[in-house]
Amino acid sequence: MSEARYAIGIDLGTTHSAVSYVDLAASDGEKTSQRVLPIAQLTAPGAVEDLDLLPSFLYLPHASELAPGDLNLPWSAARDFAVGEMARSRGAGTPIRLVSSAKSWLCHPGVDRRAAILPADAPPEVPRVSPLEASVRYLTHLREAWDQAHPDAPFGEQDVTVTIPASFDPAARELTAEAAAAAGYARMTLLEEPQAALYSWIQKSAGQWRKQVKVGDIILVVDVGGGTTDLSLIAVIERDGNLELHRIAVGDHILLGGDNMDLALAHVVARKLAAQGTQADPWQLRALTYACRAAKETLLTDPATESVPLVVPSRGAKLIGGSIRTELTRAELTQTILEGFFPQVDAAARPVTRARAGLTQLGLPYAQDAAITRHLAAFLGRQAGALAEIEGLQAMQPDGASFLRPTAVLFNGGVFKSGLLVERILQTLNGWLAAEGAAPARLLDGAELDLAVARGAAYYGYVRRGKGVRIRGGTARAYYVAVESSMPAVPGFEPPIQALCVAPFGMEEGTEAELPPQEFGLVVGEPVHFRFFGSSVRRQDQVGTLLDFWGPEELQELEEIQATLPAEGRTAGEVVPVRLHARVTEAGTLELEAVPRASGERWKVQFDVRGNADA
């Protein structure tokens, strides 16, 4: 394989995707030659424009809806779908043909991610695609746009980094890698989005970042994207006289972001319309949600705009006369998002578990509590003891601290274009710190909120070649499989289980764990399912550690894993003793293998991505 000329970074976002790249030959040390790729895409039927962002939307038009050639791209005349700006704008008027939030569906454990289920509420005559296929189409479009712009440097010959939420579990990470492979990404690595945001901040500082942080700093990265809220903590330590960055914790998977805000705004506007005597039907409410998304982005981007008109067409024959016309005001936006998603709470606050009416849509398992500040309080509280286990940082967390105390904050995500939201989180966090006698956290500013993740991913591809500072940390969780206890059965009670550690916290890319001593009996030719758990707080457990008890904050149950031994060379029904072996691939995915006793064979253990489809 030829030497890469560029390190390409791809932000595969819930609402937008972006591509950045570093010219490897033209970069040296912390001085990098980096650009953003203008992405060719349809903006209207037959109209192609180059835009920095590719809206992550897929539109599936009716066969007679468009004229021949309306979907043509410079590199293809055979498309029967559209992605990007045209998909978003056209889908706002016909939402039953629009696929959105594919990334959120890709990590939804309750559905079959390979099944054609999107658009989720489309009538039978509308074609559907799987969350995996939608992701493949976005990634393919980005590859083709690159090849169109760089015919002398084919995409398949470059080093590519694709970003994912830090909270993605192993199954979602593997599905993302599978989508990238299907889209023709031959040399691909995964990177967590909060890390990418910090890499971008480092790159943009041109070496000055060392003057803005110091040994002992704990950087909190708050990344609120279109579909998820991602929280990470990164420590600054010193080793051999040099500053190093270590990612020490990531938050739980919180399906809470711009999508929820759009839906909340749509309900605010719908209530305003109802008070005026106009009732929006479910179809119009969905179209209103897409209209509110565009209005929100305008209001957050342009401080001079006080209101944005909203027009939602009717589905009847009198399209113009039946349209709903209203507006979203800055006051409505501020009140809904500031107080609904970023309320001021104390450090002991925790997310409430009651469902919030109107904030679940399309079957996605959105967070029940929309208050991001409460999720932040829970995250910092859960990580209160994290520094005690990290060399050189034990003294940073005094005894009696009720939460881990960040010293600096980096924001990422378009929603933080609003200074009000940045100020609210800093004010809330610093209130918690002041209550415990700690110094206020400072803001690390200068990030490009829309493009930071793509730029940081490209810079990471450059850093991997030994050209700059690298964030260390490995896997953000330890992983366990359930083992049934040998205690006697008790009528009416399920047998108690133990949790066997098969992959410790902090495994780096390209490393393997030891084989655990425990064996499992697999029946030849029959799938065997294992309950699977992860922990972001148990940092000391090693392979083979067997837990008899754990608190609800210590282990979270993930999707099942499944192993099947092929029947070749064995008798059907034979029980074969195996051990489970874990390794982290160079691409950043966790792989589990079943290793039979006294055999060099290995079989991949599959993550169950079919959800409850067969239940």
Side-chain angles (χ1 to χ4, degrees):
M1 186 174 287
S2 62
E3 183 71 14
R5 177 178 169 185
Y6 297 104
I8 301 174
I10 291 182
D11 175 10
L12 180 63
T14 305
T15 53
H16 291 94
S17 296
V19 180
S20 180
Y21 57 100
V22 171
D23 187 328
L24 297 172
S27 301
D28 183 35
E30 292 183 325
K31 294 182 179 179
T32 55
S33 174
Q34 183 167 13
R35 296 182 180 180
V36 171
L37 175 72
I39 304 167
Q41 59 193 281
L42 288 164
T43 55
V48 176
E49 295 183 44
D50 292 343
L51 304 175
D52 285 348
L53 297 174
L54 177 78
S56 302
F57 295 87
L58 168 65
Y59 187 70
L60 306 169
H62 187 276
S64 61
E65 182 178 341
L66 299 168
D70 278 353
L71 294 174
N72 288 1
L73 289 164
W75 57 83
S76 174
R79 289 277 171 87
D80 60 356
F81 61 89
V83 301
E85 182 56 41
M86 175 181 162
R88 177 172 68 169
S89 59
R90 200 160 187 95
T94 314
I96 58 172
R97 292 186 171 273
L98 182 66
V99 175
S100 63
S101 304
K103 182 177 174 181
S104 297
W105 285 98
L106 196 67
C107 64
H108 185 351
V111 300
D112 184 350
R113 271 67 59 83
R114 293 193 178 95
I117 58 174
L118 302 178
D121 54 356
E125 65 270 16
V126 174
R128 298 190 183 202
V129 299
S130 69
L132 180 65
E133 174 60 23
S135 302
V136 170
R137 293 190 188 187
Y138 302 148
L139 290 166
T140 299
H141 186 101
L142 297 175
R143 174 180 59 78
E144 292 172 338
W146 170 275
D147 284 337
Q148 173 73 18
H150 296 85
D152 58 332
F155 187 92
E157 296 178 4
Q158 313 311 314
D159 289 340
V160 180
T161 300
V162 177
T163 61
I164 54 172
S167 55
F168 257 21
D169 66 15
R173 290 170 186 251
E174 187 168 273
L175 281 167
T176 305
E178 181 180 333
Y185 289 38
R187 297 153 62 158
M188 191 278 303
T189 301
L190 298 177
L191 176 68
E192 295 170 3
E193 289 161 4
Q195 288 192 45
L198 188 58
Y199 274 121
S200 177
W201 178 78
I202 291 170
Q203 184 275 334
K204 195 174 180 183
S205 76
Q208 295 302 304
W209 68 274
R210 292 181 179 84
K211 297 181 180 179
Q212 298 188 52
V213 298
K214 61 184 184 299
V215 174
D217 267 339
I218 305 297
I219 302 170
L220 167 67
V221 183
V222 181
D223 182 2
V224 179
T228 57
T229 290
D230 234 359
L231 305 171
S232 289
L233 290 164
I234 297 171
V236 182
I237 66 173
E238 184 177 14
R239 182 165 296 173
D240 299 328
N242 297 314
L243 291 184
E244 287 192 357
L245 299 170
H246 280 244
R247 195 261 285 110
I248 57 175
V250 302
D252 290 338
H253 188 66
I254 307 170
L255 203 59
L256 176 63
D259 285 355
N260 304 73
M261 298 176 193
D262 302 334
L263 187 56
L265 291 169
H267 279 275
V268 167
V269 175
R271 285 196 295 270
K272 179 170 66 175
L273 288 169
Q276 298 168 355
T278 301
Q279 194 72 38
D281 63 28
W283 183 90
Q284 289 173 318
L285 181 62
R286 186 172 176 193
L288 188 59
T289 302
Y290 291 119
C292 284
R293 171 180 288 141
K296 176 196 71 180
E297 292 174 359
T298 298
L299 289 168
L300 289 176
T301 305
D302 183 4
T305 301
E306 289 300 319
S307 65
V308 176
L310 305 174
V311 180
V312 177
S314 166
R315 284 193 292 175
K318 298 180 180 179
L319 292 179
I320 302 300
S323 296
I324 295 176
R325 296 178 179 273
T326 183
E327 65 177 6
L328 178 67
T329 67
R330 180 170 297 281
E332 291 167 337
L333 176 87
T334 301
Q335 176 66 23
T336 302
I337 295 182
L338 193 65
E339 301 306 330
F341 292 85
F342 300 93
Q344 285 190 301
V345 298
D346 61 36
R350 295 295 182 264
V352 296
T353 56
R354 67 180 184 276
R356 290 176 60 93
L359 287 184
T360 54
Q361 183 192 36
L362 308 179
L364 285 170
Y366 287 133
Q368 292 179 322
D369 190 335
I372 290 171
T373 42
R374 278 195 283 270
H375 289 283
L376 175 59
F379 169 60
L380 295 177
R382 189 164 55 251
Q383 299 297 335
L387 300 185
E389 301 168 2
I390 300 174
E391 184 179 352
L393 295 178
Q394 292 92 337
M396 288 295 298
Q397 190 76 346
D399 293 338
S402 66
F403 63 94
L404 194 150
R405 300 170 179 177
T407 58
V409 184
L410 179 69
F411 291 97
N412 187 58
V415 69
F416 291 119
K417 291 176 182 177
S418 169
L420 280 174
L421 302 186
V422 171
E423 182 182 343
R424 170 58 63 88
I425 289 187
L426 281 175
Q427 185 181 42
T428 302
L429 174 62
N430 286 333
W432 302 343
L433 292 167
E436 295 201 353
R442 62 192 185 278
L443 173 66
L444 301 181
D445 55 8
E448 292 184 73
L449 295 171
D450 282 331
L451 297 169
V453 170
R455 292 181 64 89
Y459 183 64
Y460 169 74
Y462 172 71
V463 164
R464 289 187 79 213
R465 294 168 166 259
K467 302 293 186 179
V469 64
R470 185 170 178 180
I471 302 170
R472 301 290 179 180
T475 53
R477 290 174 173 80
Y479 294 101
Y480 308 77
V481 293
V483 181
E484 281 196 9
S485 170
S486 58
M487 292 178 61
V490 177
F493 292 89
E494 291 187 3
I497 63 168
Q498 298 170 302
L500 171 67
C501 181
V502 294
F505 186 97
M507 286 183 65
E508 296 279 359
E509 291 92 342
T511 63
E512 300 187 14
E514 297 292 328
L515 280 169
Q518 292 83 354
E519 291 184 328
F520 301 89
L522 296 190
V523 180
V524 171
E526 295 182 10
V528 176
H529 295 264
F530 297 90
R531 292 174 66 184
F532 194 51
F533 298 86
S535 174
S536 63
V537 296
R538 297 190 63 93
R539 291 173 171 78
Q540 300 304 315
D541 290 346
Q542 298 301 311
V543 171
T545 299
L546 198 60
L547 305 180
D548 294 308
F549 174 81
W550 54 89
E553 292 288 321
E554 291 186 281
L555 263 64
Q556 290 78 46
E557 186 158 7
L558 307 174
E559 296 162 75
E560 286 186 335
I561 56 177
Q562 173 183 306
T564 304
L565 290 191
E568 291 84 356
R570 291 186 172 85
T571 304
E574 178 185 352
V575 177
V576 178
V578 301
R579 291 185 288 176
L580 295 181
H581 173 249
R583 72 185 187 97
V584 180
T585 68
E586 290 292 346
T589 59
L590 178 71
E591 284 192 354
L592 295 174
E593 297 171 315
V595 183
R597 183 195 301 169
S599 169
E601 300 170 287
R602 295 187 176 207
W603 292 278
K604 185 176 180 180
V605 177
Q606 303 290 337
F607 295 103
D608 184 1
V609 298
R610 299 184 65 187
N612 299 318
D614 296 333

